[in-house]
């Protein structure tokens, strides 16, 4: 039996990232995530009911109002629930957080707070790069410079994080290693060096769940494992289709190359088209 909860189940994610008693853990994680950009000193959870968003769609998305060291305020959305069209949905949710900052009247000067969406993916998505961390921002495409720092999407695909514990040097790597492996850990690492991990150990201990929480956790854990199995199956199927498509495209390119070479050597276009199974007009255009 696992000593620690799975942090990517509904119960586990809320316990670690969605309650007031876990604020020190969340602040430490976000500062590790945004190191060199912003330093968060305080945060509070926004009331989702006020935002007019249903729990059905956003039960595992937490809107967090953060205050930075410089007095700036940003909104961070923590997201962990897979849904169809995940990438498009994540953009939509982030846009809602921007629009809901609007105020009526001419006095408001569009002084929107920056919105960061942090998506934990304990599965792989085929239309995102095969990197553990993908950062998306608004960019001036011609000059390859940042256009605005008001919008940021960060996707963390945990299957691509492959570091072992002795390879984790930064606090961010240690967080990710712990979250990814929490369900199989028997002892929380780095507790002696950082009090945040000691606090994480206390919050994430399965033994700390009451009877009602434990029943709910076990049900969510089964549903989570079923979801992961389906997701990985879909991903592998997509990968295989991609390989087959790539092979087909490679054969097509080889045909065209051969046709072009034969044409340059004076072979009649009709014969080339017939021999290689290519449209006559395509061979003529080479």
């Amino acid at each position: 039996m696992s000593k620690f909860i799975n942090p990517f189940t509904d119960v586990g994610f809320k316990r670690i990232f969605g309650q007031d008693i876990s604020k020190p853990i969340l602040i430490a994680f976000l500062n590790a995530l945004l190191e060199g950009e912003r330093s968060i000193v305080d945060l509070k959870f926004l009331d989702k009911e006020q935002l007019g968003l249903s729990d059905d769609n956003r039960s595992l998305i937490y809107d967090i109002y953060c205050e930075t060291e410089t007095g700036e305020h940003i909104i961070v959305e923590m997201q962990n629930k897979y849904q169809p069209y995940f990438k498009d949905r994540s953009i939509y949710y982030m846009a809602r957080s921007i629009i809901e900052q609007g105020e009526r009247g001419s006095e408001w000067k569009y002084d929107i707070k920056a919105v960061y969406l942090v998506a934990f993916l304990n599965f792989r998505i085929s239309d995102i790069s095969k990197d553990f961390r993908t950062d998306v921002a608004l960019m001036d495409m011609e000059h390859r410079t940042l256009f605005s720092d008001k919008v940021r999407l960060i996707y963390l695909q945990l299957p691509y994080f492959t570091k072992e514990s002795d390879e984790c040097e930064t606090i961010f790597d240690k967080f990710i290693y712990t979250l990814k492996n929490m369900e199989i850990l028997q002892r929380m690492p780095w507790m002696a060096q950082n009090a945040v991990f000691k606090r994480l150990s206390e919050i994430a201990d399965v033994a700390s769940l009451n009877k009602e929480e434990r029943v709910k956790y076990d049900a969510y854990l089964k549903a989570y494992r079923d979801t992961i199995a389906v997701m990985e199956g879909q991903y592998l199927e997509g990968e295989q289709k991609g390989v087959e498509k790539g092979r087909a495209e490679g054969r097509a390119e080889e045909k065209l190359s051969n046709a072009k070479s034969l044409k340059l050597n004076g072979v009649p276009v009709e014969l080339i088209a017939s021999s290689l199974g290519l449209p006559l007009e395509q061979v003529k255009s080479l």
Side-chain angles (χ1 to χ4, degrees):
M1 183 178 294
S2 301
K3 176 175 175 55
F4 300 110
I5 58 177
N6 184 312
F8 303 105
T9 59
D10 288 18
V11 173
F13 194 72
K14 181 178 181 180
R15 196 169 182 84
I16 294 172
F17 292 117
Q19 54 182 352
D20 285 334
I21 62 172
S22 60
K23 280 173 60 174
I25 296 172
L26 186 51
I27 290 174
F29 173 78
L30 291 175
N31 281 333
L33 179 78
L34 304 176
E35 185 176 9
E37 297 180 45
R38 288 179 164 92
S39 178
I40 295 169
V41 295
D42 195 16
L43 59 82
K44 66 178 180 180
F45 296 97
L46 297 178
D47 185 354
K48 285 192 294 184
E49 294 301 322
Q50 284 186 342
L51 300 180
L53 297 166
S54 69
D55 286 339
D56 289 342
N57 289 332
R58 289 171 56 100
S59 60
L60 261 293
I61 299 175
Y62 296 103
D63 296 294
I64 306 162
Y65 191 71
C66 303
E67 181 182 351
T68 70
E69 193 174 43
T70 59
E72 182 186 16
H73 290 90
I74 66 173
I75 295 172
V76 176
E77 290 198 338
M78 301 288 291
Q79 184 173 151
N80 176 50
K81 193 169 189 176
Y82 175 77
Q83 296 169 317
Y85 315 109
F86 185 88
K87 191 164 64 174
D88 290 342
R89 282 177 180 261
S90 64
I91 295 170
Y92 170 77
Y93 290 146
M94 183 203 61
R96 287 288 297 263
S97 288
I98 294 174
I99 291 174
E100 282 153 359
Q101 296 179 51
E103 298 178 8
R104 293 183 179 277
S106 59
E107 296 300 316
W108 188 57
K109 306 301 181 183
Y110 294 90
D111 53 337
I112 60 173
K113 310 293 186 294
V115 175
Y116 283 69
L117 184 139
V118 181
F120 283 94
L121 311 175
N122 204 21
F123 44 83
R124 293 168 288 196
I125 295 186
S126 58
D127 56 352
I128 296 179
S129 67
K130 294 182 180 180
D131 296 316
F132 156 60
R133 176 172 178 169
T134 300
D135 286 68
V136 180
L138 293 177
M139 181 186 70
D140 180 324
M141 294 182 66
E142 181 176 354
H143 300 287
R144 296 293 189 270
T145 56
L146 185 67
F147 178 76
S148 171
D149 64 352
K150 298 293 186 179
V151 172
R152 181 77 167 279
L153 299 100
I154 303 174
Y155 300 93
L156 304 175
Q157 295 184 91
L158 271 75
Y160 294 121
F161 183 87
T162 58
K163 290 185 179 180
E164 298 297 333
S165 59
D166 58 353
E167 298 175 297
C168 296
E169 298 179 355
T170 68
I171 187 70
F172 179 67
D173 283 349
K174 292 175 181 178
F175 262 117
I176 296 301
Y177 174 86
T178 302
L179 293 171
K180 181 178 180 179
N181 296 284
M182 187 177 292
E183 195 181 8
I184 62 173
L185 294 174
Q186 292 304 310
R187 181 182 179 278
M188 189 67 64
W190 302 295
M191 287 194 299
Q193 294 90 355
N194 195 313
V196 169
F197 289 98
K198 185 175 187 301
R199 183 62 175 149
L200 181 58
S201 176
E202 295 167 353
I203 290 177
D205 195 327
V206 171
S208 68
L209 299 174
N210 61 38
K211 185 176 180 180
E212 182 181 350
E213 289 172 332
R214 182 57 190 270
V215 171
K216 189 175 182 180
Y217 171 66
D218 288 343
Y220 276 115
L221 182 61
K222 181 182 183 304
Y224 167 79
R225 287 172 174 166
D226 290 345
T227 299
I228 291 299
V230 171
M231 284 297 303
E232 285 300 296
Q234 290 175 343
Y235 175 83
L236 293 174
E237 182 181 353
E239 286 283 281
Q240 182 60 36
K241 288 180 179 178
V243 169
E244 293 173 357
K245 181 180 178 182
R247 288 173 179 168
E249 290 175 348
R251 289 193 293 269
E253 290 178 2
E254 184 179 4
K255 275 188 178 183
L256 291 175
S257 177
N258 290 338
K260 188 173 183 179
S261 178
L262 291 170
K263 186 178 178 183
L264 288 173
N265 283 284
V267 177
V269 291
E270 292 81 3
L271 180 59
I272 297 173
S274 175
S275 300
L276 296 178
L278 293 171
L280 180 59
E281 293 303 317
Q282 186 176 23
V283 175
K284 288 181 177 179
S285 68
L286 292 174

